[in-house]
Amino acid sequence: MTKSRRIAILGSTGSIGRSSLDVVTSMNEHGTDYNIAYLVTNKNVDLLYQQVKKYSPTGVVIIDEEKASLFRSYLNGEKLKVYSGETGLMEVMSAGDFDVLISSLVGFVGLRPTLEALKAGKTVALANKETLVVAGEIVKRTAREHHATLLPIDSEHSAILQCFAGEEKKSISKLILTASGGPFLHKEKSELENVTVEEALNHPNWRMGRKITIDSATLMNKGLEVIEAHHLFDLPPDRIEVVIHPQSIIHSMVEFVDGSIKAQLGVPDMKIPIQYALTYPERVGSAYKRVDFAKVNQLTFMPPDFDRFTLIKSAYEALRSGGTAPAILNAANEEAVELFLQRKIRFTDIAEIVDEALNSIPSTSSPGIEEIFEADSAARDFVSAGAALNNRNVSERLHK
Ligand code: MG
């Protein structure tokens, strides 16, 4: 394998970004020579500065201009290129000297820079599932046209990629995505109305960022992952299934035409799929925790409850509608999750708001990138200005 590679991390101060830096350190202790070329953050310049001290990148990008000025004031003769704003970000994505981009910004904002890196023919290890959800066709076409490689970091999709090894496309019958079920797996529908932000952020198995943790509690995360799997593996929605598996030991499965099933297992630790994306199709050693079956005791499964967790159904519907529907679904969800985190709406309002946005905003078929941006804005405006749009349900909730 390529033992020496230059890595850029989009979102280096977030949960996946920090784990990625640990992975690179660990891999280098196991025989690789990976270097950190660029670190990109939105605002967290204090942590960025510590990362610069430790990893000596060629350059950094700070998207927030004010924070970029603050960061420049920290520097003391270090040989470091500092870029800022959207312009600086795009400059590094298109012309920066690196081989692999770890794309781990959260949400829609990851789309443009990820596309830019694909246009430059880079390998993209994708943790930002929203990029594929909103613009899957465009992302794949861009990768194809520019001979860029797209690899998943998301643990379910990494599992499927690992199950695909040595198999032919025609042998695949269906994908089975596993879901932990989140913190509210056993809550009644009526109890979900009053759950708190703290309860929703308390995921039983995974330590992740706030947005994805809320998405895991509503099961929207799994809905987004169904759309992501559709784009990554080219299978129709009726051949992508979801099963609840509370222990999060099986990260996903593939069923083949002969009835055989392959599963990928491991402890729930994002470092393993991050590393696989960086070494694919080969592997290098690690000291990460192993599954101890004497302690696992049992692996259990159940179907998802679409009645309590309706967002997963909305995601399937958006995928089947196609066009800009997934972009509307995603933007409405991002806005609604933020409102919930700000304690302005109830947990169950997230699903209702997303549904209202999907039903109220017309979807455009075969959209170009500008139409996707328009759909994204329309859905955000719909949610934040529910009152102005005279949408009684949304506005009532926003003003509670
Ligand atoms: Mg996942």
Side-chain angles (χ1 to χ4, degrees):
M1 69 180 284
T2 320
K3 294 275 185 192
S4 176
R5 284 172 128 184
R6 292 175 55 76
I7 313 283
I9 305 180
L10 195 51
S12 72
T13 55
S15 170
I16 294 287
R18 294 191 310 262
S19 294
S20 298
L21 287 168
D22 291 343
V23 166
V24 169
T25 303
S26 155
M27 283 172 57
N28 288 344
E29 286 164 6
H30 287 82
T32 64
D33 177 28
Y34 280 28
N35 296 292
I36 301 300
Y38 297 93
L39 297 172
V40 182
T41 190
N42 184 23
K43 285 176 187 242
N44 193 346
V45 288
D46 293 326
L47 179 54
L48 181 73
Y49 189 64
Q50 292 172 31
Q51 292 178 340
V52 165
K53 288 279 175 212
K54 189 162 175 195
Y55 296 95
S56 313
T58 310
V60 297
V61 184
I62 299 137
I63 302 173
D64 184 289
E65 296 281 5
E66 271 178 37
K67 293 287 183 184
S69 311
L70 177 64
F71 182 84
R72 285 190 180 98
S73 74
Y74 295 168
L75 297 178
N76 201 347
E78 285 99 334
K79 254 183 74 188
L80 180 72
K81 288 183 191 153
V82 182
Y83 302 80
S84 60
E86 275 289 305
T87 321
L89 176 58
M90 291 306 169
E91 190 183 338
V92 168
M93 290 300 109
S94 59
D97 175 22
F98 64 93
D99 309 302
V100 183
L101 173 71
I102 297 177
S103 175
S104 55
L105 285 178
V106 178
F108 185 74
V109 292
L111 175 59
R112 270 199 210 273
T114 303
L115 278 175
E116 208 58 32
L118 289 171
K119 281 183 199 157
K122 310 292 189 189
T123 292
V124 172
L126 191 68
N128 174 260
K129 67 191 76 182
E130 293 89 347
T131 287
L132 274 178
V133 168
V134 302
E137 299 302 333
I138 294 171
V139 169
K140 281 191 298 180
R141 196 184 328 130
T142 307
R144 231 178 8 249
E145 285 172 4
H146 299 273
H147 308 284
T149 306
L150 190 63
L151 293 165
I153 281 183
D154 212 347
S155 61
E156 293 77 3
H157 308 77
S158 175
I160 290 166
L161 186 67
Q162 295 181 55
C163 294
F164 274 16
E167 304 287 351
E168 286 182 272
K169 178 88 199 287
K170 63 173 193 216
S171 308
I172 289 144
S173 138
K174 67 177 178 188
L175 311 181
I176 304 163
L177 298 180
T178 53
S180 70
F184 305 137
L185 179 59
H186 302 293
K187 279 224 188 298
E188 296 292 331
K189 199 174 180 181
S190 57
E191 294 175 294
L192 287 176
E193 266 187 21
N194 299 315
V195 296
T196 64
V197 170
E198 290 69 27
E199 288 172 306
L201 285 175
N202 187 21
H203 195 279
N205 303 343
W206 296 94
R207 291 286 151 258
M208 306 175 288
R210 283 156 63 90
K211 195 259 176 183
I212 187 174
T213 305
I214 301 301
D215 283 347
S216 300
T218 60
L219 288 200
M220 176 55 120
N221 185 49
K222 213 47 56 177
L224 297 176
E225 288 180 354
V226 167
I227 303 177
E228 184 186 9
H230 160 77
H231 290 299
L232 281 170
F233 305 112
D234 268 323
L235 285 169
D238 57 349
R239 288 168 66 193
I240 306 171
E241 227 174 74
V242 172
V243 66
I244 303 290
H245 165 49
Q247 295 81 15
S248 297
I249 297 293
I250 295 181
H251 299 307
S252 276
M253 301 179 259
V254 177
E255 186 194 275
F256 296 91
V257 288
D258 59 357
S260 187
I261 293 170
K262 279 191 188 175
Q264 186 264 344
L265 290 73
V267 294
D269 180 351
M270 284 308 296
K271 292 195 185 88
I272 299 173
I274 291 169
Q275 175 162 321
Y276 188 68
L278 293 178
T279 64
Y280 175 84
E282 297 180 26
R283 298 181 190 272
V284 299
S286 87
Y288 306 139
K289 246 178 105 183
R290 268 39 175 177
V291 175
D292 179 352
F293 283 96
K295 288 193 182 131
V296 168
N297 213 358
Q298 59 174 356
L299 298 178
T300 57
F301 308 91
M302 67 191 90
D305 183 346
F306 293 116
D307 186 43
R308 277 183 305 148
F309 300 100
T310 56
L311 276 172
I312 192 164
K313 208 163 53 185
S314 307
Y316 269 104
E317 278 164 21
L319 174 55
R320 289 197 176 97
S321 313
T324 50
I328 294 165
L329 170 97
N330 177 70
N333 181 62
E334 285 187 22
E335 293 295 316
V337 167
E338 191 50 43
L339 289 171
F340 173 68
L341 285 170
Q342 293 169 8
R343 300 165 207 273
K344 289 185 178 156
I345 58 170
R346 291 173 306 197
F347 181 76
T348 43
D349 293 336
I350 301 173
E352 288 192 29
I353 288 173
V354 170
D355 232 38
E356 281 164 20
L358 264 183
N359 293 329
S360 310
I361 302 168
S363 162
T364 312
S365 58
S366 316
I369 195 75
E370 289 316 318
E371 284 159 316
I372 285 172
F373 273 84
E374 281 162 22
D376 177 87
S377 303
R380 286 175 202 275
D381 291 349
F382 176 85
V383 177
S384 56
L389 284 167
N390 200 21
N391 185 307
R392 204 158 41 84
N393 286 344
V394 174
S395 65
E396 266 174 17
R397 274 183 213 108
L398 292 179
H399 296 107
K400 220 165 245 174

